[in-house]
Amino acid sequence: MDSAMTIILTGFDLLLSATLLWLAWQLLRSTDIFKAIIFFICFGLLMAIAWVRMHAPDVALAEAAIGAGLTGPLFLAALRKMERKQKKERRFDPEEKRDNPDKRWQVRSREASPLMWIVAALTLCFAGLLIRTVWIIPRPLPGLAQQTAAHLGASGVDNAVTAVLLNFRGYDTMLEVMVLLLGAITIWSITHAPFPPRLPDTSPVQKSAVRLLLPLICLTGGYLVWQGAYQTGGAFQGGAVLSAALVLLLISDFLWLPDMHSLPLRMGMVLGPLVFLSMAVLGIITENALLRFPPEQAGAFLLFLEAACAISIGLSLAAFFAGGRPASDLREKPYQTDQPDTEKEGS
Amino acid sequence: MTIPEIIGLVSIAVALPFFLSGTVGMLRFPDIFTRLHALTKADNVGLGFLILGLCLQANDWFIVIKLVLIWVLVLIASSASCHLVARRALMKGIRPWTAQ
Amino acid sequence: MIYVGVALFLLLTVVLGMIRIIAGPTVADRMMAAQLFGTSGLAILLVLAQGMNMPELIDIALTFSLLAALATMTFVRRVWYEEEKNDDS
Amino acid sequence: MTNMLYSFTGLILFVFGLFALISCPHPLRKILGGNVMSTGIFLFLVATSYRTDTASIDPVPQAMVLTGIVVSVSITAVALVLATRLQQSANRAMNRREKKNEGGAAEG
């Protein structure tokens, strides 16, 4: 019975890793970029299952929400922004109509063929070196499992991953929230969002589906944040689920959304880093060290911190999807040097 | 094994052909509309039987509620997105396949 | 053990379905195949939750089910909107 | 066994991603390659620290990977916006050039 279980599990692992590798190869070598994006979405789905097999449910949850959920739409939206211009460009050249949209890129890659072979050989050598290095690592590797388990009581939460993230290595997480904010600031300063064109034929089915899903998504996001203290979950997963709600709102073109002022958005995005920083400073005052919490109230502190982080993570990820500063935020007309060439939809 | 557990296993076994037929239909059916039909068989009936089976094995009401919620959510998501795809396909002028 | 076998079977159907992503022919077919994988992956997670005795996987499946519509809706609303895109792109 | 399998999978994913990052000319595919690369590293990190007994699984690599996933999605988003802007301005310049050529042809 037990050996049969091992055999089936090994078969599962083998099939899963072979499929992952095959998918990665397909997504990098397939001729069509849309196909590659679809492969990437499937890759994210299967990665979540691989994390489960590694007994890392927290990572699997983050991968399910971010890798399988959000990154695919990010790529799809970017693809559309790129392709629209290419299609317009093709109008000047009716001969090319049947060609692949990314033909330009294909041709250049074929020209660079000898160089490609050199790069491939170098990469293979590198891969061999890496595999050899991994092979000679002395096993079993030392780990921090015992130390983490020993200090779990002082951290204020029961989930070891959350304890490591927010208490033991709070610096990392603080800087990470800053990175998210920085990413959002970068995007907002690069471009303003070509705000969702109000497509003429929004289906009523979609609207009611979004209306049904939205409260449930928000509820689940909050539940995941709350649950992070003692089981799988936490600020990142909850935040990612919350951002999915915003992305759903963005893609179904609810009318009030583009007119919303960005001030609440900014406040929400800054909330997480701000709370984190003030907690850090509070730690200096009360405990004489940056980011240290009194063990008795640590649970409450961490929950507060997680809630704030989840809000700002959700808003930042949604800002990533929107891909720019909200247009309603601009005092004057958007920057228009060579607008005549671009197509303005819906206006 | 108790009777609910056996019924649960049978229900999971019933679910598997639906998943298989979803995939086979995806591969064998001639056009996008019929493929949507195959897809929803796996989504609705297959997952429904699977979740029924798992509910019978579960020993916690909270888990049962979550499982049923998952099924309802998948129903909403799959019906809405299949509707959108079919609608857009019709608008783009893709003709439904007929026997001729 | 039965559950892991069921999960293996579901994974096999996922791998089979990938032929549709390669074959196309329209972009929508590929997207719908990806959606089918979402459902199958969710089923794999649920079965593994029972088989590996990890009830927290049900939360992951819940997240999957919440986000199932996201990619397809983005696709329909954003990518597949243009008329006259050569369908076998 | 399982950890070796998955850590080598992670390594090979990393190499695939690296190769794509160098060799693919399309910006979107470069970004996809970077994503595959980072996923490979994550898989390698977690798989190498994986133990068969569930009690002694190390949470530190998992927390690091969790951080890494969020950082990589922000990098992806910024890279996508940059690539889109690049593509749009390149297309615009190309359109202008072709228009000029057409105009010249019509006059001449």
Side-chain angles (χ1 to χ4, degrees), chain A residues 300-328:
Chain A
F301 273 115
L302 291 191
L303 186 64
F304 186 50
L305 203 58
E306 275 196 295
C309 285
I311 291 174
S312 64
I313 288 169
L315 285 175
S316 309
L317 289 176
F320 290 166
F321 180 81
R325 203 164 359 137
S328 63

mmCIF file of all heavy atoms in Angstrom, chain A residues 300-328:
data_model
loop_
_atom_site.group_PDB
_atom_site.id
_atom_site.type_symbol
_atom_site.label_atom_id
_atom_site.label_comp_id
_atom_site.label_asym_id
_atom_site.label_seq_id
_atom_site.Cartn_x
_atom_site.Cartn_y
_atom_site.Cartn_z
ATOM 1 N N ALA A 300 -1.290 41.101 17.723
ATOM 2 C CA ALA A 300 -2.131 42.215 17.305
ATOM 3 C C ALA A 300 -1.376 43.128 16.359
ATOM 4 O O ALA A 300 -1.899 43.548 15.319
ATOM 5 C CB ALA A 300 -2.597 42.993 18.533
ATOM 6 N N PHE A 301 -0.091 43.404 16.719
ATOM 7 C CA PHE A 301 0.716 44.261 15.849
ATOM 8 C C PHE A 301 0.803 43.685 14.450
ATOM 9 O O PHE A 301 0.628 44.375 13.461
ATOM 10 C CB PHE A 301 2.132 44.388 16.420
ATOM 11 C CG PHE A 301 2.280 45.495 17.419
ATOM 12 C CD1 PHE A 301 2.575 45.231 18.737
ATOM 13 C CD2 PHE A 301 2.140 46.810 17.020
ATOM 14 C CE1 PHE A 301 2.717 46.236 19.650
ATOM 15 C CE2 PHE A 301 2.290 47.833 17.939
ATOM 16 C CZ PHE A 301 2.569 47.548 19.257
ATOM 17 N N LEU A 302 1.106 42.376 14.402
ATOM 18 C CA LEU A 302 1.310 41.754 13.098
ATOM 19 C C LEU A 302 0.025 41.772 12.282
ATOM 20 O O LEU A 302 0.068 42.002 11.067
ATOM 21 C CB LEU A 302 1.811 40.318 13.256
ATOM 22 C CG LEU A 302 3.222 40.185 13.800
ATOM 23 C CD1 LEU A 302 3.700 38.760 13.671
ATOM 24 C CD2 LEU A 302 4.179 41.107 13.102
ATOM 25 N N LEU A 303 -1.116 41.560 12.939
ATOM 26 C CA LEU A 303 -2.367 41.570 12.200
ATOM 27 C C LEU A 303 -2.631 42.949 11.592
ATOM 28 O O LEU A 303 -2.999 43.074 10.418
ATOM 29 C CB LEU A 303 -3.514 41.163 13.121
ATOM 30 C CG LEU A 303 -4.838 40.997 12.398
ATOM 31 C CD1 LEU A 303 -4.744 39.861 11.411
ATOM 32 C CD2 LEU A 303 -5.967 40.754 13.370
ATOM 33 N N PHE A 304 -2.379 43.972 12.406
ATOM 34 C CA PHE A 304 -2.551 45.355 11.949
ATOM 35 C C PHE A 304 -1.654 45.616 10.736
ATOM 36 O O PHE A 304 -2.081 46.125 9.693
ATOM 37 C CB PHE A 304 -2.202 46.275 13.101
ATOM 38 C CG PHE A 304 -2.457 47.717 12.829
ATOM 39 C CD1 PHE A 304 -3.672 48.144 12.334
ATOM 40 C CD2 PHE A 304 -1.469 48.652 13.080
ATOM 41 C CE1 PHE A 304 -3.903 49.478 12.092
ATOM 42 C CE2 PHE A 304 -1.704 49.984 12.835
ATOM 43 C CZ PHE A 304 -2.909 50.402 12.337
ATOM 44 N N LEU A 305 -0.386 45.208 10.900
ATOM 45 C CA LEU A 305 0.594 45.383 9.841
ATOM 46 C C LEU A 305 0.154 44.680 8.568
ATOM 47 O O LEU A 305 0.210 45.237 7.464
ATOM 48 C CB LEU A 305 1.904 44.783 10.342
ATOM 49 C CG LEU A 305 3.195 45.235 9.747
ATOM 50 C CD1 LEU A 305 3.295 46.722 9.942
ATOM 51 C CD2 LEU A 305 4.333 44.559 10.471
ATOM 52 N N GLU A 306 -0.324 43.443 8.743
ATOM 53 C CA GLU A 306 -0.718 42.657 7.580
ATOM 54 C C GLU A 306 -1.895 43.291 6.866
ATOM 55 O O GLU A 306 -1.928 43.322 5.627
ATOM 56 C CB GLU A 306 -1.104 41.240 8.011
ATOM 57 C CG GLU A 306 0.065 40.337 8.116
ATOM 58 C CD GLU A 306 -0.386 38.899 8.155
ATOM 59 O OE1 GLU A 306 -1.062 38.514 9.117
ATOM 60 O OE2 GLU A 306 -0.069 38.179 7.217
ATOM 61 N N ALA A 307 -2.853 43.806 7.638
ATOM 62 C CA ALA A 307 -4.015 44.417 6.997
ATOM 63 C C ALA A 307 -3.587 45.616 6.169
ATOM 64 O O ALA A 307 -3.988 45.765 5.003
ATOM 65 C CB ALA A 307 -5.033 44.815 8.054
ATOM 66 N N ALA A 308 -2.718 46.464 6.761
ATOM 67 C CA ALA A 308 -2.269 47.649 6.025
ATOM 68 C C ALA A 308 -1.508 47.246 4.778
ATOM 69 O O ALA A 308 -1.727 47.786 3.685
ATOM 70 C CB ALA A 308 -1.399 48.515 6.929
ATOM 71 N N CYS A 309 -0.620 46.260 4.919
ATOM 72 C CA CYS A 309 0.171 45.818 3.765
ATOM 73 C C CYS A 309 -0.736 45.248 2.689
ATOM 74 O O CYS A 309 -0.509 45.493 1.496
ATOM 75 C CB CYS A 309 1.182 44.763 4.175
ATOM 76 S SG CYS A 309 2.555 45.453 5.043
ATOM 77 N N ALA A 310 -1.747 44.470 3.100
ATOM 78 C CA ALA A 310 -2.615 43.857 2.104
ATOM 79 C C ALA A 310 -3.311 44.925 1.277
ATOM 80 O O ALA A 310 -3.412 44.801 0.051
ATOM 81 C CB ALA A 310 -3.644 42.962 2.783
ATOM 82 N N ILE A 311 -3.768 46.005 1.947
ATOM 83 C CA ILE A 311 -4.443 47.073 1.194
ATOM 84 C C ILE A 311 -3.486 47.684 0.197
ATOM 85 O O ILE A 311 -3.796 47.846 -0.992
ATOM 86 C CB ILE A 311 -4.989 48.137 2.159
ATOM 87 C CG1 ILE A 311 -6.136 47.546 2.963
ATOM 88 C CG2 ILE A 311 -5.440 49.368 1.404
ATOM 89 C CD1 ILE A 311 -6.635 48.452 4.023
ATOM 90 N N SER A 312 -2.249 47.990 0.652
ATOM 91 C CA SER A 312 -1.381 48.682 -0.296
ATOM 92 C C SER A 312 -0.876 47.727 -1.375
ATOM 93 O O SER A 312 -0.680 48.152 -2.515
ATOM 94 C CB SER A 312 -0.239 49.396 0.408
ATOM 95 O OG SER A 312 0.593 48.499 1.027
ATOM 96 N N ILE A 313 -0.703 46.443 -1.048
ATOM 97 C CA ILE A 313 -0.293 45.499 -2.087
ATOM 98 C C ILE A 313 -1.388 45.360 -3.133
ATOM 99 O O ILE A 313 -1.127 45.376 -4.343
ATOM 100 C CB ILE A 313 0.041 44.136 -1.454
ATOM 101 C CG1 ILE A 313 1.345 44.227 -0.691
ATOM 102 C CG2 ILE A 313 0.173 43.066 -2.525
ATOM 103 C CD1 ILE A 313 1.614 43.041 0.174
ATOM 104 N N GLY A 314 -2.636 45.258 -2.654
ATOM 105 C CA GLY A 314 -3.742 45.130 -3.602
ATOM 106 C C GLY A 314 -3.819 46.314 -4.542
ATOM 107 O O GLY A 314 -3.919 46.159 -5.762
ATOM 108 N N LEU A 315 -3.705 47.524 -3.963
ATOM 109 C CA LEU A 315 -3.806 48.711 -4.816
ATOM 110 C C LEU A 315 -2.630 48.801 -5.773
ATOM 111 O O LEU A 315 -2.798 49.151 -6.943
ATOM 112 C CB LEU A 315 -3.874 49.963 -3.936
ATOM 113 C CG LEU A 315 -5.219 50.167 -3.271
ATOM 114 C CD1 LEU A 315 -5.174 51.344 -2.346
ATOM 115 C CD2 LEU A 315 -6.275 50.404 -4.323
ATOM 116 N N SER A 316 -1.413 48.455 -5.293
ATOM 117 C CA SER A 316 -0.255 48.570 -6.184
ATOM 118 C C SER A 316 -0.360 47.590 -7.334
ATOM 119 O O SER A 316 -0.068 47.945 -8.481
ATOM 120 C CB SER A 316 1.039 48.304 -5.422
ATOM 121 O OG SER A 316 1.112 49.068 -4.273
ATOM 122 N N LEU A 317 -0.791 46.359 -7.037
ATOM 123 C CA LEU A 317 -0.898 45.371 -8.119
ATOM 124 C C LEU A 317 -1.940 45.806 -9.141
ATOM 125 O O LEU A 317 -1.750 45.652 -10.345
ATOM 126 C CB LEU A 317 -1.235 43.999 -7.558
ATOM 127 C CG LEU A 317 -0.116 43.302 -6.780
ATOM 128 C CD1 LEU A 317 -0.602 42.001 -6.207
ATOM 129 C CD2 LEU A 317 1.070 43.038 -7.670
ATOM 130 N N ALA A 318 -3.048 46.384 -8.648
ATOM 131 C CA ALA A 318 -4.059 46.867 -9.586
ATOM 132 C C ALA A 318 -3.512 48.019 -10.408
ATOM 133 O O ALA A 318 -3.811 48.134 -11.604
ATOM 134 C CB ALA A 318 -5.303 47.287 -8.830
ATOM 135 N N ALA A 319 -2.664 48.852 -9.774
ATOM 136 C CA ALA A 319 -2.050 49.945 -10.532
ATOM 137 C C ALA A 319 -1.130 49.397 -11.598
ATOM 138 O O ALA A 319 -1.049 49.941 -12.700
ATOM 139 C CB ALA A 319 -1.284 50.860 -9.596
ATOM 140 N N PHE A 320 -0.455 48.287 -11.295
ATOM 141 C CA PHE A 320 0.382 47.638 -12.310
ATOM 142 C C PHE A 320 -0.471 47.241 -13.497
ATOM 143 O O PHE A 320 -0.080 47.416 -14.647
ATOM 144 C CB PHE A 320 1.041 46.376 -11.764
ATOM 145 C CG PHE A 320 2.106 46.625 -10.758
ATOM 146 C CD1 PHE A 320 2.577 45.608 -9.971
ATOM 147 C CD2 PHE A 320 2.649 47.884 -10.610
ATOM 148 C CE1 PHE A 320 3.564 45.831 -9.045
ATOM 149 C CE2 PHE A 320 3.631 48.118 -9.686
ATOM 150 C CZ PHE A 320 4.091 47.083 -8.898
ATOM 151 N N PHE A 321 -1.643 46.681 -13.209
ATOM 152 C CA PHE A 321 -2.489 46.230 -14.312
ATOM 153 C C PHE A 321 -2.978 47.416 -15.128
ATOM 154 O O PHE A 321 -2.971 47.370 -16.354
ATOM 155 C CB PHE A 321 -3.667 45.426 -13.792
ATOM 156 C CG PHE A 321 -4.559 44.948 -14.887
ATOM 157 C CD1 PHE A 321 -4.233 43.823 -15.601
ATOM 158 C CD2 PHE A 321 -5.701 45.639 -15.222
ATOM 159 C CE1 PHE A 321 -5.019 43.385 -16.630
ATOM 160 C CE2 PHE A 321 -6.498 45.214 -16.251
ATOM 161 C CZ PHE A 321 -6.159 44.077 -16.946
ATOM 162 N N ALA A 322 -3.389 48.488 -14.431
ATOM 163 C CA ALA A 322 -3.895 49.647 -15.167
ATOM 164 C C ALA A 322 -2.798 50.240 -16.027
ATOM 165 O O ALA A 322 -3.071 50.775 -17.097
ATOM 166 C CB ALA A 322 -4.435 50.688 -14.196
ATOM 167 N N GLY A 323 -1.557 50.124 -15.579
ATOM 168 C CA GLY A 323 -0.430 50.478 -16.429
ATOM 169 C C GLY A 323 -0.210 51.966 -16.589
ATOM 170 O O GLY A 323 0.291 52.401 -17.609
ATOM 171 N N GLY A 324 -0.550 52.768 -15.579
ATOM 172 C CA GLY A 324 -0.239 54.177 -15.691
ATOM 173 C C GLY A 324 -1.027 55.010 -14.703
ATOM 174 O O GLY A 324 -1.892 54.496 -14.000
ATOM 175 N N ARG A 325 -0.711 56.275 -14.680
ATOM 176 C CA ARG A 325 -1.410 57.201 -13.811
ATOM 177 C C ARG A 325 -2.848 57.330 -14.293
ATOM 178 O O ARG A 325 -3.084 57.368 -15.500
ATOM 179 C CB ARG A 325 -0.710 58.551 -13.928
ATOM 180 C CG ARG A 325 -0.885 59.477 -12.805
ATOM 181 C CD ARG A 325 0.168 60.585 -12.900
ATOM 182 N NE ARG A 325 1.053 60.407 -14.034
ATOM 183 C CZ ARG A 325 1.418 61.410 -14.820
ATOM 184 N NH1 ARG A 325 0.964 62.604 -14.621
ATOM 185 N NH2 ARG A 325 2.251 61.196 -15.826
ATOM 186 N N PRO A 326 -3.821 57.418 -13.372
ATOM 187 C CA PRO A 326 -5.210 57.614 -13.813
ATOM 188 C C PRO A 326 -5.341 58.920 -14.577
ATOM 189 O O PRO A 326 -4.780 59.934 -14.188
ATOM 190 C CB PRO A 326 -6.002 57.668 -12.511
ATOM 191 C CG PRO A 326 -5.146 57.045 -11.509
ATOM 192 C CD PRO A 326 -3.733 57.229 -11.936
ATOM 193 N N ALA A 327 -6.047 58.856 -15.683
ATOM 194 C CA ALA A 327 -6.125 60.037 -16.542
ATOM 195 C C ALA A 327 -6.860 61.180 -15.862
ATOM 196 O O ALA A 327 -6.578 62.339 -16.126
ATOM 197 C CB ALA A 327 -6.807 59.667 -17.842
ATOM 198 N N SER A 328 -7.793 60.845 -14.943
ATOM 199 C CA SER A 328 -8.562 61.903 -14.303
ATOM 200 C C SER A 328 -7.689 62.727 -13.383
ATOM 201 O O SER A 328 -8.071 63.805 -12.943
ATOM 202 C CB SER A 328 -9.697 61.287 -13.498
ATOM 203 O OG SER A 328 -9.146 60.497 -12.478
#
